[in-house]
Amino acid sequence: MTATVHVPAIGGSHQFLHFLPVAFELEQSRQCKVRIFAPTSDDADGIAALADKLAMPLPEIVIMKMPGTLQAVLPPAAQKTAKLMLAANRIRDCDAILCAERTSTILKRLPGHCPPLFHIPHGAGDRAVGFEDRFRHFDKVFVAGAKDRERLIAGGRCTPERCVIGGPVKLAA
């Protein structure tokens, strides 16, 4: 049986190299059916270009739509969350969710079933903003190194069982 993995790519193209290579690898393994949810057609084009550059298979891409009237009244910063919430049922219809940002933790906090939520933090470094409370909502967090893992655990944001050192994805890609 093939597992389905959904990937909300809502954090912006600057995050793509931090997590999409993992999604491409999962698709290539043929053990997972990956579907990437992109907020715009420009993002979808950027995802396709990255898969091509890395010579990896391109998973299915779904462009997250929002009614024009809602888009007209919402400031750009709020549109990411709105698109995520509008697509929540479809995104959560899978075996696992992989993301690089923490806005997607809202999927865990909405009523109804949410599959396991996996997080690959975008970037490496120890700025305080990277160690905030929403980490508690992830079922598994893959960090770049021991320092990040220790800080998440020491801050009570992750248990040792839920925090795994996976290395820096961007550098590997």
Side-chain angles (χ1 to χ4, degrees):
M1 181 176 187
T2 303
T4 57
V5 177
H6 287 174
V7 182
I10 64 167
S13 60
H14 65 283
Q15 294 180 359
F16 288 175
L17 268 173
H18 295 283
F19 72 106
L20 286 177
V22 174
F24 301 155
E25 288 279 349
L26 290 171
E27 180 74 15
Q28 184 171 337
S29 77
R30 299 184 189 266
Q31 295 179 15
C32 296
K33 174 63 183 153
V34 177
R35 183 171 293 124
I36 300 173
F37 289 80
T40 68
S41 57
D42 286 345
D43 288 320
D45 292 344
I47 293 165
L50 179 58
D52 185 57
K53 182 177 182 178
L54 297 175
M56 298 295 292
L58 178 64
E60 177 185 349
I61 298 176
V62 175
I63 298 174
M64 302 163 74
K65 300 198 186 302
M66 182 173 18
T69 53
L70 186 57
Q71 191 163 342
V73 298
L74 285 178
Q79 290 181 21
K80 172 173 68 170
T81 303
K83 286 183 177 186
L84 186 64
M85 291 184 71
L86 287 168
N89 288 339
R90 189 155 182 216
I91 294 170
R92 296 189 320 173
D93 185 21
C94 62
D95 296 306
I97 300 170
L98 172 69
C99 58
E101 38 59 47
R102 293 173 293 282
T103 304
S104 290
T105 59
I106 199 163
L107 299 169
K108 279 287 211 194
R109 294 177 275 149
L110 293 172
H113 171 74
C114 185
L117 192 59
F118 298 109
H119 183 52
I120 299 174
H122 56 282
D126 55 5
R127 295 180 310 136
V129 71
F131 298 92
E132 44 116 337
D133 287 339
R134 289 182 290 179
F135 276 99
R136 292 185 173 114
H137 297 288
F138 291 102
D139 295 282
K140 192 71 78 173
V141 178
F142 298 90
V143 294
K147 184 177 179 182
D148 291 341
R149 181 177 190 272
E150 290 165 9
R151 186 160 179 192
L152 283 171
I153 293 168
R157 291 170 179 90
C158 233
T159 64
E161 303 79 31
R162 289 187 9 248
C163 195
V164 178
I165 299 171
V169 174
K170 183 177 180 179
L171 294 177

